[in-house]
Amino acid sequence: MLHQQNIYLDNNATTRVDERVLEAMLPYFTQLYANSTSQHIAGLTVNEAVENAAWQTADLINADAEEIIFTSGATEAINLAIKGLADQDRKHIITITTEHKAVLETCAFMESIGFKISYLPVGQDGLLDLNLLDQSITDNTLVFTGMLSNNETGVIQNVSKIAALLKSKNVLFICDATQAVGKIPVDVKTLGIDLLALSAHKFYGPKGIGALYISAKAKIKLTTQILGGGQQRKLRSGTLNVPGIIGLGKASEIAVNESEGDKKRIEILRDKLENDLLKFEGSFVNGNTKNRIYNTTNICFPGVNSEQLIMALGNISVSNGASCSAVTSEPSHVLKAMGLSDEEALSSIRFSLGRFTTSREIDIAVERVLALAGELVLQVRR
């Protein structure tokens, strides 16, 4: 009953597991529970299901099943991708200041072991200047790592042009596509991505499972980060999370068939929410409104403390940053990098809709947000 009482508009943080995904997973907890690497019939049966899930996941991004490594989520996938390149001769990494902390913190680690990191700024719209990227590449540049869709603003970078530039300079491309995969078409071959990270729980799958795509064509040799029994072609040892993998595969299959329908419906709801909330005096959208994903809007309500507003909203779940907790007293590094002041960043709210969001919930949320934001502004003025 919890999801019926709660109006959940924080789908970029995590999503509700689709009941079809849960149904597919359940037998692998209680009936088909054998270790997928065991050589008996029960193990081989489970392994066949794992291989099918790998195919389903690969199909979602137009990859081959052999190019998929299952991880605990996008954060681990990003760590494997970046740290796995530590033994390469070139020692320069380029990234963007608006990246997720999983990328920024891993880059900081790489800096501590001798790599040079270039953190490129973005414009006020959140987009990267490709000329600046071009100028930042040197003979020592090994890899560029950049998001497809930003988790806080939804801004979509021009990935295909970025990839073309990198390829012309013989630079690898790591793409954090966590907020895009399962929502919009992501074709790693057409886009020219060498490594890509994703998480199931961002598109109605379970938490604790994700994947790293590693292009076979790029012939990338990653240094293993987790040693042990040599599972997954010795790139990521450990007993496989079979129920999670089955859930990721099923969520991928559903996304292939239904994401376009989700887009049409959710985008209408997002635009309605945004247009109504922008009636608040002085409010504005953070980030580019043309190049962004359809489920996300990040709005600044001048004079309103976002932390207070989130707490006042109670059963309406929204966010003011990328933290796993919806409430943080620190201004968003993403919004700061886009030129917002501390006060503006701390007055901004991210609304992210999903497959289960209804029109009625949007109407209620708009009414509550506008009323409570107005009260908070009056309190400040007093």
Side-chain angles (χ1 to χ4, degrees), residues 165-178:
L165 171 61
L166 297 173
K167 188 174 293 294
S168 72
K169 304 280 188 175
N170 194 31
V171 174
L172 294 172
F173 184 9
I174 299 174
C175 183
D176 174 6
T178 310

Side-chain angles (χ1 to χ4, degrees), residues 200-307:
H201 76 102
K202 303 295 186 179
F203 58 104
Y204 316 105
K207 298 176 182 66
I209 187 68
L212 175 66
Y213 156 78
I214 307 171
S215 169
K217 184 178 179 180
K219 297 181 180 178
I220 302 163
K221 184 174 176 60
L222 295 179
T223 301
T224 303
Q225 301 301 301
I226 300 178
L227 301 171
Q231 291 89 342
Q232 301 201 78
R233 301 185 294 284
K234 298 184 178 180
L235 276 172
R236 202 268 190 178
S237 292
T239 301
L240 294 182
N241 173 9
V242 173
I245 289 170
I246 300 302
L248 170 57
K250 186 63 177 181
S252 298
E253 178 186 70
I254 293 170
V256 167
N257 296 323
E258 299 183 9
S259 60
E260 186 58 35
D262 284 345
K263 176 184 183 300
K264 291 177 180 177
R265 188 182 66 82
I266 296 170
E267 189 168 31
I268 291 171
L269 294 178
R270 190 278 308 274
D271 290 348
K272 173 178 170 54
L273 171 74
E274 182 175 274
N275 291 334
D276 288 346
L277 290 178
L278 288 175
K279 295 174 183 177
F280 186 86
E281 184 179 356
S283 60
F284 57 88
V285 177
N286 296 315
N288 191 294
T289 57
K290 297 187 184 300
N291 298 301
R292 61 171 172 165
I293 204 158
Y294 59 83
N295 79 313
T296 305
T297 182
N298 191 305
I299 300 177
C300 180
F301 301 94
V304 177
N305 182 290
S306 61
E307 185 174 322

Side-chain angles (χ1 to χ4, degrees), residues 10 38 42 74 88 126 136 144 150 192 257 265 269 363 381:
D10 196 22
S38 296
Q88 303 294 316
S136 302
F144 167 82
N150 187 271
N257 296 323
R265 188 182 66 82
L269 294 178
D363 290 337
R381 289 175 180 171

Side-chain angles (χ1 to χ4, degrees), residues 18-307:
D18 191 296
E19 290 182 8
R20 292 168 291 180
V21 172
L22 179 60
E23 184 179 359
M25 293 172 63
L26 285 176
Y28 294 87
F29 286 107
T30 58
Q31 299 166 23
L32 302 169
Y33 53 84
N35 192 317
S36 62
T37 58
S38 296
Q39 296 303 304
H40 44 63
I41 294 298
L44 293 172
T45 300
V46 171
N47 186 62
E48 184 176 355
V50 168
E51 289 179 349
N52 181 63
W55 180 88
Q56 291 171 313
T57 305
D59 186 52
L60 180 60
I61 58 173
N62 191 28
D64 296 324
E66 295 75 19
E67 297 175 306
I68 299 296
I69 297 295
F70 293 115
T71 66
S72 61
T75 293
E76 184 192 337
I78 289 165
N79 272 260
L80 174 56
I82 297 176
K83 291 179 181 178
L85 295 170
D87 292 337
Q88 303 294 316
D89 293 334
R90 287 177 286 169
K91 302 291 183 183
H92 179 218
I93 297 172
I94 303 175
T95 190
I96 312 174
T97 53
T98 51
E99 290 300 294
H100 191 278
K101 287 296 180 70
V103 168
L104 297 178
E105 291 297 318
T106 307
C107 284
F109 168 79
M110 297 297 282
E111 195 166 20
S112 74
I113 63 171
F115 275 71
K116 178 182 178 182
I117 313 295
S118 294
Y119 298 92
L120 302 187
V122 295
Q124 290 185 336
D125 61 357
L127 291 172
L128 175 66
D129 182 345
L130 267 67
N131 289 325
L132 179 59
L133 173 58
D134 189 12
Q135 295 164 13
S136 302
I137 296 172
T138 72
D139 292 340
N140 194 39
T141 304
L142 172 64
V143 64
F144 167 82
T145 176
M147 274 184 176
L148 201 164
S149 175
N150 187 271
N151 54 306
E152 293 193 33
T153 63
V155 169
I156 294 176
Q157 299 292 340
N158 195 333
V159 170
S160 58
K161 286 189 176 181
I162 289 172
L165 171 61
L166 297 173
K167 188 174 293 294
S168 72
K169 304 280 188 175
N170 194 31
V171 174
L172 294 172
F173 184 9
I174 299 174
C175 183
D176 174 6
T178 310
Q179 294 294 341
V181 169
K183 298 176 187 175
I184 61 174
V186 177
D187 186 325
V188 291
K189 292 181 171 59
T190 300
L191 292 174
I193 295 168
D194 297 308
L195 300 107
L196 178 144
L198 62 90
S199 267
H201 76 102
K202 303 295 186 179
F203 58 104
Y204 316 105
K207 298 176 182 66
I209 187 68
L212 175 66
Y213 156 78
I214 307 171
S215 169
K217 184 178 179 180
K219 297 181 180 178
I220 302 163
K221 184 174 176 60
L222 295 179
T223 301
T224 303
Q225 301 301 301
I226 300 178
L227 301 171
Q231 291 89 342
Q232 301 201 78
R233 301 185 294 284
K234 298 184 178 180
L235 276 172
R236 202 268 190 178
S237 292
T239 301
L240 294 182
N241 173 9
V242 173
I245 289 170
I246 300 302
L248 170 57
K250 186 63 177 181
S252 298
E253 178 186 70
I254 293 170
V256 167
N257 296 323
E258 299 183 9
S259 60
E260 186 58 35
D262 284 345
K263 176 184 183 300
K264 291 177 180 177
R265 188 182 66 82
I266 296 170
E267 189 168 31
I268 291 171
L269 294 178
R270 190 278 308 274
D271 290 348
K272 173 178 170 54
L273 171 74
E274 182 175 274
N275 291 334
D276 288 346
L277 290 178
L278 288 175
K279 295 174 183 177
F280 186 86
E281 184 179 356
S283 60
F284 57 88
V285 177
N286 296 315
N288 191 294
T289 57
K290 297 187 184 300
N291 298 301
R292 61 171 172 165
I293 204 158
Y294 59 83
N295 79 313
T296 305
T297 182
N298 191 305
I299 300 177
C300 180
F301 301 94
V304 177
N305 182 290
S306 61
E307 185 174 322

